[in-house]
Amino acid sequence: MTATTSLADAARRELPDLSESIVGPGDPGYDEARAVHNGMIDRRPAAIVRCESVGDVSRAIGFARAHDTAIAVRGGGHNGGGLGVADDALVIDLAGLDDVVVDPDADLVRVGGGCTWGQVDRATAEYGRATPSGIISTTGVGGLTLGGGLGHLTRGYGLTVDSLVGADVVLADGSQVHASANEHPELFWALRGGGGNFGVVTSFEFRTHPVGAAVMAGPTFWPIEQTPEVMRFFREFLPTAPRHLNGFFAEMTVPPVELFPEELHMRKVCAIMWCIVGSEEEATRLLAPVHEVGTPLLHGVGPVPFPGLQSLFDGLYVKGLQCYWRADFVNELSDELIERHLEWGQKLPSMHSTMHLYPIDGAAHDVGSTDTAFSYRDAQFAEVIFGVDPDPANADAIRDWCVGYWDATHPYSAGGAYVNFMMDEGQERVRATYRDNYDRLARVKAQYDPDNVFHVNQNIHPAGGA
Ligand SMILES: Cc1cc2nc3c(=O)[nH]c(=O)nc-3n(C[C@H](O)[C@H](O)[C@H](O)COP(=O)(O)OP(=O)(O)OC[C@H]3O[C@@H](n4cnc5c(N)ncnc54)[C@H](O)[C@@H]3O)c2cc1C
């Protein structure tokens, strides 16, 4: 019997009411249970505990600490760096904490810590409402929220954390607290961008916002060679557009799916993916200038129920693809930087690989840089370079492209990067990302997790400690 097998056995002995929910090496289903979204990640935890209640989470933490074993907390398992799993660790898998309760009178939704966004979107759509999240429905609420949350509704309704009104958190000592503006306010401040550093969030409470029965959404595509004029249009048009219009820029390859005309399949394009919370007439009026830019290949904006928009790319970015991530915040899309995007966009190494520029403005700018842990409120864009391919044999090619693209554009960046778009880039990058908020985060960490029990994340070191 190996050392790692014995930890799972010990867990079954010491946590008898959870014994059916513990998976260790050698158990059926172990490989499935340890697999995360990124197929490049191949880690072998000592045990995985599938939790369904606050008590389960608390007991699992106590067990891991008593056995001096690292803890990895898994929400949706989407993290690029695979931070929901770690070698030899005890994984606290939250997928069983998946209740979603909408309060239509208060415009709130209470969400279990292991939910994915699709579960939330479907529930709130019943009332024509949504909480801002990302662009893929299979992403975990936990990781996305704790890192900030950027997506289709950022300009209108802010980051995901700007809609967070409270969270139930199991701390490193196994106790549970509620964090909100009035209770544990420093913890609440830290949770809004500081990642999973402070405890396990078993429940989030969010404000919801009107999105109607359908939003007006879809892409405009241009030949990739027209990147310079499209990007210049993007940088000038967006700040003048009303907040209920959102658009993110992409360098991409048109996937060979029915949704797009066959003649565009596999063509490299630059694109803007629009989402307008408004009527068809309004979207047509607001997007009229788009048709004057370059020679659009396709303008596919139409009414889509919000959950439909959120799951539009799910089939493309399925679990198990090889993924390599690099990212930056960007203050200014200078002409020189645009030339770098043209050069590297044309070198997209595979159909799935892409570069996205998400706007951080509108409602996201209403909140100050020190009001929440998410520091880069003054940035204009979050850039993510995403090398992706199904074939492990192409892992080096997508990594080399991603790093080459980042090396070329990073000198024009604002410094740090959105934590949810990073892999493991070291402590200096984490500090650069939190800037002046880092020291305050380190003090909150020292108060709520002085022994750095929760360190499988973009780690904040406790102030004055290890
Ligand atoms: C295809 C794809 C598209 C994406 N698109 C977007 C996007 O549009 N916008 C955006 O903002 N992000 C996006 N992301 C990034 C995403 O926000 C991060 O990958 C995020 O970390 C995923 O959260 P998760 O819960 O699924 O991940 P996990 O891997 O489960 O967890 C990530 C981190 O969060 C911690 N964590 C998770 N849940 C909890 C919890 N309940 N309590 C405490 N800690 C927790 C984990 O310990 C880990 O450190 C995308 C990712 C992918 C793969």
Side-chain angles (χ1 to χ4, degrees):
M1 192 184 287
T2 66
T4 48
T5 311
S6 68
L7 191 91
D9 288 343
R12 277 187 274 263
R13 261 195 323 273
E14 293 173 38
L15 305 170
D17 51 332
L18 279 170
S19 63
E20 301 288 306
S21 311
I22 293 164
V23 186
D27 290 338
Y30 174 71
D31 284 337
E32 198 188 323
R34 71 187 177 88
V36 290
H37 193 266
N38 186 354
M40 253 186 211
I41 307 293
D42 180 21
R43 300 198 183 124
R44 302 187 66 81
I48 297 149
V49 184
R50 293 183 168 129
C51 295
E52 293 190 357
S53 69
V54 171
D56 292 352
V57 172
S58 179
R59 282 195 294 281
I61 293 171
F63 170 82
R65 294 197 68 177
H67 288 262
D68 208 12
T69 297
I71 293 173
V73 178
R74 177 185 173 131
H78 255 223
N79 187 267
L83 294 173
V85 65
D87 283 330
D88 303 324
L90 181 99
V91 173
I92 296 182
D93 185 337
L94 301 175
L97 286 146
D98 63 350
D99 283 349
V100 181
V101 180
V102 183
D103 180 345
D105 299 325
D107 295 333
L108 294 172
V109 61
R110 179 176 281 277
V111 177
C115 278
T116 57
W117 278 105
Q119 293 170 297
V120 183
D121 294 334
R122 283 191 294 276
T124 55
E126 302 255 322
Y127 303 91
R129 301 185 74 87
T131 294
S133 57
I135 64 156
I136 301 263
S137 83
T138 53
T139 307
V141 171
L144 182 136
T145 300
L146 296 169
L150 294 167
H152 289 301
L153 299 175
T154 305
R155 295 193 75 238
Y157 299 133
L159 305 183
T160 304
V161 285
D162 300 336
S163 291
L164 185 67
V165 296
D168 293 328
V169 190
V170 180
L171 302 176
D173 65 3
S175 65
Q176 192 199 11
V177 296
H178 183 73
S180 68
N182 303 319
E183 294 169 78
H184 297 272
E186 278 298 287
L187 176 60
F188 186 55
W189 175 85
L191 291 175
R192 287 174 290 162
N197 272 285
F198 309 95
V200 180
V201 178
T202 51
S203 173
F204 295 89
E205 193 170 26
F206 295 107
R207 228 173 278 121
T208 64
H209 307 270
V211 287
V215 292
M216 292 299 301
T220 312
F221 293 153
W222 292 264
I224 201 155
E225 297 74 21
Q226 294 180 7
T227 292
E229 53 202 294
V230 178
M231 267 197 168
R232 279 197 288 272
F233 164 75
F234 182 65
R235 83 177 171 203
E236 277 141 36
F237 173 71
L238 216 55
T240 65
R243 290 176 170 202
H244 57 285
L245 180 152
N246 203 91
F248 72 84
F249 181 94
E251 303 276 32
M252 58 175 281
T253 304
V254 179
V257 294
E258 258 179 40
L259 195 63
F260 303 120
E262 221 175 302
E263 66 272 18
L264 293 184
H265 288 180
M266 298 305 289
R267 180 160 177 176
K268 287 179 184 171
V269 296
C270 63
I272 304 177
M273 180 69 199
W274 305 104
C275 171
I276 294 130
V277 180
S279 68
E280 195 153 359
E281 294 68 33
E282 196 181 9
T284 305
R285 181 174 54 77
L286 288 173
L287 294 179
V290 171
H291 303 282
E292 309 302 318
V293 183
T295 49
L297 299 167
L298 174 131
H299 182 71
V301 177
V304 197
F306 190 71
L309 172 63
Q310 288 292 90
S311 46
L312 206 59
F313 304 113
D314 289 3
L316 193 60
Y317 293 108
V318 294
K319 187 174 175 180
L321 299 175
Q322 304 284 304
C323 302
Y324 198 82
W325 298 68
R326 282 288 173 101
D328 269 317
F329 287 117
V330 179
N331 283 340
E332 195 202 340
L333 266 183
S334 67
D335 288 350
E336 237 180 299
L337 172 56
I338 287 173
E339 285 305 316
R340 303 286 95 75
H341 281 296
L342 170 65
E343 181 191 346
W344 284 89
Q346 288 174 312
K347 295 182 192 168
L348 285 166
S350 65
M351 189 267 282
H352 293 83
S353 296
T354 188
M355 187 288 299
H356 290 178
L357 268 182
Y358 293 91
I360 305 179
D361 69 348
H365 276 183
D366 290 347
V367 180
S369 288
T370 58
D371 292 346
T372 66
F374 188 100
S375 166
Y376 270 90
R377 294 285 182 167
D378 48 343
Q380 293 298 321
F381 302 102
E383 173 193 294
V384 60
I385 306 163
F386 192 30
V388 189
D389 194 77
D391 187 351
N394 293 333
D396 287 348
I398 59 173
R399 185 187 299 112
D400 290 351
W401 169 79
C402 197
V403 172
Y405 198 146
W406 187 83
D407 284 346
T409 51
H410 178 65
Y412 303 89
S413 76
Y418 175 38
V419 282
N420 276 340
F421 289 161
M422 282 161 69
M423 294 183 85
D424 181 7
E425 296 179 30
Q427 197 58 26
E428 281 313 304
R429 275 296 265 170
V430 177
R431 275 183 174 271
T433 285
Y434 290 112
R435 299 192 293 188
D436 292 348
N437 287 343
Y438 187 90
D439 289 346
R440 183 169 167 191
L441 281 164
R443 289 195 294 276
V444 182
K445 178 79 171 172
Q447 185 182 348
Y448 288 95
D449 183 17
D451 300 322
N452 207 1
V453 168
F454 302 111
H455 62 265
V456 182
N457 42 44
Q458 302 295 351
N459 198 227
I460 312 279
H461 293 182

